[in-house]
Amino acid sequence: MSLTLSDEARRHIAAFADVADVTPVDCLVDDDRAVFVIPAGEMGAAIGPDGETVEAVESQLGSRVDLVENADEPAAFVANCLAPAAVRNVTLSTQGGSTVAYVEVPQGDRGVAIGAGGESIEAARRLAARHFDIDDVQLA
């Protein structure tokens, strides 16, 4: 599946790559937040020692930065999108041409999975749709 990136997302990816030795594969840009999808296995380099890389990117972009580790499997990708919530299980269900990811998280982590104003679950929905044609992400 090929992704279409906006010019703004491309600029954000270039800015991230300039600061880190990691080039994100995708970026969602909102008013005060950028969510970068980092290649699998490169999260440590993307975060940097004590979070220095993320802080430098946040300073350069003037917005908050969140990172999601890429994955080859849709269930793993959805779980990564909701980190740091402890995801117990992701079940994909296809009915009537729509695919829904049902995510089990402990009751104490539901707020983390949803995020302030629903921003975490909404980013997971957008990224799952972009990367795996998943129509919705629901907490089970």
Side-chain angles (χ1 to χ4, degrees), residues 6-22:
S6 68
D7 289 342
E8 186 176 28
R10 290 176 200 267
R11 284 192 296 276
H12 277 62
I13 287 171
F16 193 100
D18 283 347
V19 173
D21 289 331
V22 175

Side-chain angles (χ1 to χ4, degrees), residues 54-85:
V54 171
E55 290 174 9
V57 173
E58 286 176 333
S59 177
Q60 184 173 347
L61 296 177
S63 64
R64 192 166 43 108
V65 168
D66 289 327
L67 306 179
V68 171
E69 187 169 18
N70 202 6
D72 292 332
E73 297 297 320
F77 184 77
V78 170
N80 291 348
C81 288
L82 295 173

Side-chain angles (χ1 to χ4, degrees), residues 4-102:
T4 302
L5 298 171
S6 68
D7 289 342
E8 186 176 28
R10 290 176 200 267
R11 284 192 296 276
H12 277 62
I13 287 171
F16 193 100
D18 283 347
V19 173
D21 289 331
V22 175
T23 301
V25 298
D26 194 8
C27 178
L28 296 179
V29 181
D30 291 324
D31 293 336
D32 64 342
R33 176 179 178 225
V35 180
F36 292 95
V37 178
I38 304 300
E42 297 188 30
M43 279 297 268
I47 294 169
D50 297 321
E52 291 173 6
T53 303
V54 171
E55 290 174 9
V57 173
E58 286 176 333
S59 177
Q60 184 173 347
L61 296 177
S63 64
R64 192 166 43 108
V65 168
D66 289 327
L67 306 179
V68 171
E69 187 169 18
N70 202 6
D72 292 332
E73 297 297 320
F77 184 77
V78 170
N80 291 348
C81 288
L82 295 173
V87 174
R88 290 184 178 153
N89 188 39
V90 177
T91 304
L92 299 175
S93 175
T94 303
Q95 292 180 344
S98 291
T99 302
V100 178
Y102 295 99

